[in-house]
């Protein structure tokens, strides 16, 4: 929690997981609730300790306003209805995006470029792995023995609410700061904590739509192939972006040798960078970004 606040909300999922884990013991609801609370208490204590630090102590340590302040928590007292509506809107938009539209991006029309050798290679690579994955899933001994075995209703009834709660709780720390995953060029990182819930919902959807294992395996293998091809292209885009950034610093190192510290550059694409310059006579002068605003 202290190193990655994105996952803070998932701690509230632990009581539900503990409740499910104790269902097979035949306990009364009251006894089960007491056991869940007793098992959760150490983690709840850490959660409360972190919230106290994050909301009461940490803001006082900053010399500037907290850029990730829980804005919606601060306005809920003065505008409860409007704040709850705003929170619900942020949550529903990101939820639909993470569950459905994130997959649509893996097969976006602009990614089908037959003239691009690398893009074509990514598709061939991803779809080839999909075929291999499907073959392994269908013909391995562990899977073949379960072909056409229907999923239990108890499994489906548990996975659905668990996936919904996990996805919503995963996005909660982001939404209370009045931010969301679908706004901003790099905001898709806000869906990281939602991924466990999204995966559970995908499992539930595949099991609910068709209980024949071979069809579910085909759909799952296709999704994996699309995801692998997308990851392949994303890694390539990152490498190209890194080359551009390195070339930018390289140009500065020999074109502006007398560059002074704290100099502000306004580059193309509205990129403003404040650089801390380390003087050097070598062409490999190190430029460490001190503050970067996009």
């Amino acid at each position: 929690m202290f190193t990655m606040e994105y996952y803070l909300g998932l701690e509230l999922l632990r009581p539900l997981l503990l409740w499910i884990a104790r269902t097979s013991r035949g306990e009364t609801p009251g006894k089960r609730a007491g056991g869940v609370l007793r098992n959760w208490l150490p983690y709840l204590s850490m959660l409360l300790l972190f919230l106290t630090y994050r909301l009461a102590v940490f803001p006082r340590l900053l010399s500037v306003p907290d850029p990730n302040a829980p804005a919606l928590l601060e306005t809920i007292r003065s505008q409860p209805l409007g704040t709850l509506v705003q929170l619900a809107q942020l949550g529903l938009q990101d939820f639909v995006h993470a569950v459905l539209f994130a997959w649509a991006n893996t097969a976006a029309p602009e990614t089908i470029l037959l003239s691009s050798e690398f893009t074509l290679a990514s598709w061939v690579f991803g779809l080839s792995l999909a075929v291999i994955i499907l073959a392994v899933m269908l013909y391995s001994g562990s899977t073949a023995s379960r072909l056409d075995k229907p999923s239990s209703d108890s499994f489906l009834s548990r996975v659905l609410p668990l996936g919904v709660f996990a996805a919503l709780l995963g996005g909660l720390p982001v939404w209370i700061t009045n931010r969301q995953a679908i706004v901003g060029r790099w905001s898709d990182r806000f869906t990281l904590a939602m991924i466990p819930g999204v995966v559970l919902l995908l499992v539930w959807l595949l099991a609910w739509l068709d209980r024949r294992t071979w069809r579910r395996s085909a759909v799952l293998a296709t999704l994996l192939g699309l995801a692998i091809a997308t990851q392949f292209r994303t890694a390539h885009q990152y490498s190209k972006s890194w080359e551009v950034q390195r070339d930018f610093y390289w140009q500065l190192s020999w074109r502006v040798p007398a560059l002074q510290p704290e100099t502000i550059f306004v580059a193309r694409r509205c990129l403003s960078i404040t650089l801390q310059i380390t003087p050097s006579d070598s062409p490999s002068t190190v430029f460490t970004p001190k503050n970067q605003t996009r």
Side-chain angles (χ1 to χ4, degrees), residues 157-171:
S157 63
R158 291 179 181 178
V159 168
L160 178 59
L162 192 62
V164 172
F165 282 129
L168 294 178
L169 292 176

mmCIF file of all heavy atoms in Angstrom, residues 157-171:
data_model
loop_
_atom_site.group_PDB
_atom_site.id
_atom_site.type_symbol
_atom_site.label_atom_id
_atom_site.label_comp_id
_atom_site.label_asym_id
_atom_site.label_seq_id
_atom_site.Cartn_x
_atom_site.Cartn_y
_atom_site.Cartn_z
ATOM 1 N N SER A 157 -22.095 -18.526 -9.618
ATOM 2 C CA SER A 157 -22.745 -17.569 -8.720
ATOM 3 C C SER A 157 -21.744 -16.851 -7.830
ATOM 4 O O SER A 157 -22.008 -15.741 -7.361
ATOM 5 C CB SER A 157 -23.784 -18.289 -7.859
ATOM 6 O OG SER A 157 -23.174 -19.267 -7.029
ATOM 7 N N ARG A 158 -20.593 -17.454 -7.597
ATOM 8 C CA ARG A 158 -19.576 -16.807 -6.765
ATOM 9 C C ARG A 158 -18.652 -15.926 -7.585
ATOM 10 O O ARG A 158 -18.240 -14.858 -7.124
ATOM 11 C CB ARG A 158 -18.752 -17.874 -6.035
ATOM 12 C CG ARG A 158 -19.510 -18.634 -4.968
ATOM 13 C CD ARG A 158 -18.617 -19.679 -4.331
ATOM 14 N NE ARG A 158 -19.317 -20.459 -3.312
ATOM 15 C CZ ARG A 158 -18.777 -21.455 -2.632
ATOM 16 N NH1 ARG A 158 -17.513 -21.793 -2.853
ATOM 17 N NH2 ARG A 158 -19.471 -22.109 -1.724
ATOM 18 N N VAL A 159 -18.316 -16.378 -8.772
ATOM 19 C CA VAL A 159 -17.343 -15.639 -9.575
ATOM 20 C C VAL A 159 -17.898 -14.297 -10.033
ATOM 21 O O VAL A 159 -17.176 -13.300 -10.072
ATOM 22 C CB VAL A 159 -16.906 -16.486 -10.789
ATOM 23 C CG1 VAL A 159 -16.125 -15.649 -11.785
ATOM 24 C CG2 VAL A 159 -16.060 -17.657 -10.325
ATOM 25 N N LEU A 160 -19.181 -14.232 -10.393
ATOM 26 C CA LEU A 160 -19.756 -12.991 -10.905
ATOM 27 C C LEU A 160 -19.668 -11.850 -9.894
ATOM 28 O O LEU A 160 -19.085 -10.800 -10.206
ATOM 29 C CB LEU A 160 -21.200 -13.225 -11.344
ATOM 30 C CG LEU A 160 -21.940 -11.978 -11.860
ATOM 31 C CD1 LEU A 160 -21.210 -11.375 -13.050
ATOM 32 C CD2 LEU A 160 -23.384 -12.321 -12.222
ATOM 33 N N PRO A 161 -20.233 -11.972 -8.685
ATOM 34 C CA PRO A 161 -20.099 -10.846 -7.737
ATOM 35 C C PRO A 161 -18.662 -10.582 -7.326
ATOM 36 O O PRO A 161 -18.276 -9.431 -7.104
ATOM 37 C CB PRO A 161 -20.953 -11.295 -6.538
ATOM 38 C CG PRO A 161 -21.033 -12.774 -6.644
ATOM 39 C CD PRO A 161 -21.000 -13.092 -8.106
ATOM 40 N N LEU A 162 -17.854 -11.646 -7.248
ATOM 41 C CA LEU A 162 -16.456 -11.459 -6.872
ATOM 42 C C LEU A 162 -15.724 -10.637 -7.920
ATOM 43 O O LEU A 162 -14.943 -9.737 -7.588
ATOM 44 C CB LEU A 162 -15.788 -12.826 -6.716
ATOM 45 C CG LEU A 162 -14.414 -12.845 -6.045
ATOM 46 C CD1 LEU A 162 -14.503 -12.325 -4.623
ATOM 47 C CD2 LEU A 162 -13.849 -14.270 -6.053
ATOM 48 N N GLY A 163 -15.990 -10.912 -9.203
ATOM 49 C CA GLY A 163 -15.350 -10.149 -10.264
ATOM 50 C C GLY A 163 -15.808 -8.703 -10.294
ATOM 51 O O GLY A 163 -14.997 -7.785 -10.480
ATOM 52 N N VAL A 164 -17.109 -8.473 -10.101
ATOM 53 C CA VAL A 164 -17.634 -7.104 -10.100
ATOM 54 C C VAL A 164 -17.030 -6.299 -8.957
ATOM 55 O O VAL A 164 -16.553 -5.167 -9.144
ATOM 56 C CB VAL A 164 -19.168 -7.122 -10.004
ATOM 57 C CG1 VAL A 164 -19.708 -5.706 -9.795
ATOM 58 C CG2 VAL A 164 -19.776 -7.731 -11.265
ATOM 59 N N PHE A 165 -17.043 -6.871 -7.747
ATOM 60 C CA PHE A 165 -16.497 -6.165 -6.595
ATOM 61 C C PHE A 165 -15.008 -5.907 -6.761
ATOM 62 O O PHE A 165 -14.518 -4.823 -6.422
ATOM 63 C CB PHE A 165 -16.753 -6.965 -5.313
ATOM 64 C CG PHE A 165 -18.157 -6.852 -4.794
ATOM 65 C CD1 PHE A 165 -18.891 -7.977 -4.492
ATOM 66 C CD2 PHE A 165 -18.749 -5.616 -4.617
ATOM 67 C CE1 PHE A 165 -20.189 -7.887 -4.021
ATOM 68 C CE2 PHE A 165 -20.045 -5.506 -4.153
ATOM 69 C CZ PHE A 165 -20.768 -6.645 -3.855
ATOM 70 N N ALA A 166 -14.271 -6.888 -7.269
ATOM 71 C CA ALA A 166 -12.829 -6.721 -7.432
ATOM 72 C C ALA A 166 -12.523 -5.610 -8.428
ATOM 73 O O ALA A 166 -11.612 -4.798 -8.211
ATOM 74 C CB ALA A 166 -12.200 -8.035 -7.886
ATOM 75 N N ALA A 167 -13.263 -5.550 -9.535
ATOM 76 C CA ALA A 167 -13.019 -4.510 -10.539
ATOM 77 C C ALA A 167 -13.348 -3.125 -9.987
ATOM 78 O O ALA A 167 -12.599 -2.163 -10.191
ATOM 79 C CB ALA A 167 -13.838 -4.797 -11.789
ATOM 80 N N LEU A 168 -14.467 -3.016 -9.270
ATOM 81 C CA LEU A 168 -14.871 -1.714 -8.736
ATOM 82 C C LEU A 168 -13.946 -1.262 -7.611
ATOM 83 O O LEU A 168 -13.563 -0.084 -7.542
ATOM 84 C CB LEU A 168 -16.316 -1.784 -8.243
ATOM 85 C CG LEU A 168 -17.381 -2.010 -9.325
ATOM 86 C CD1 LEU A 168 -18.769 -2.104 -8.701
ATOM 87 C CD2 LEU A 168 -17.349 -0.895 -10.364
ATOM 88 N N LEU A 169 -13.591 -2.173 -6.727
ATOM 89 C CA LEU A 169 -12.683 -1.809 -5.635
ATOM 90 C C LEU A 169 -11.290 -1.486 -6.155
ATOM 91 O O LEU A 169 -10.594 -0.640 -5.590
ATOM 92 C CB LEU A 169 -12.613 -2.946 -4.621
ATOM 93 C CG LEU A 169 -13.879 -3.210 -3.816
ATOM 94 C CD1 LEU A 169 -13.703 -4.430 -2.923
ATOM 95 C CD2 LEU A 169 -14.253 -1.995 -2.964
ATOM 96 N N GLY A 170 -10.896 -2.136 -7.254
ATOM 97 C CA GLY A 170 -9.590 -1.839 -7.828
ATOM 98 C C GLY A 170 -9.497 -0.429 -8.375
ATOM 99 O O GLY A 170 -8.426 0.186 -8.354
ATOM 100 N N GLY A 171 -10.608 0.099 -8.869
ATOM 101 C CA GLY A 171 -10.593 1.450 -9.415
ATOM 102 C C GLY A 171 -10.936 2.532 -8.415
ATOM 103 O O GLY A 171 -10.749 3.725 -8.700
#
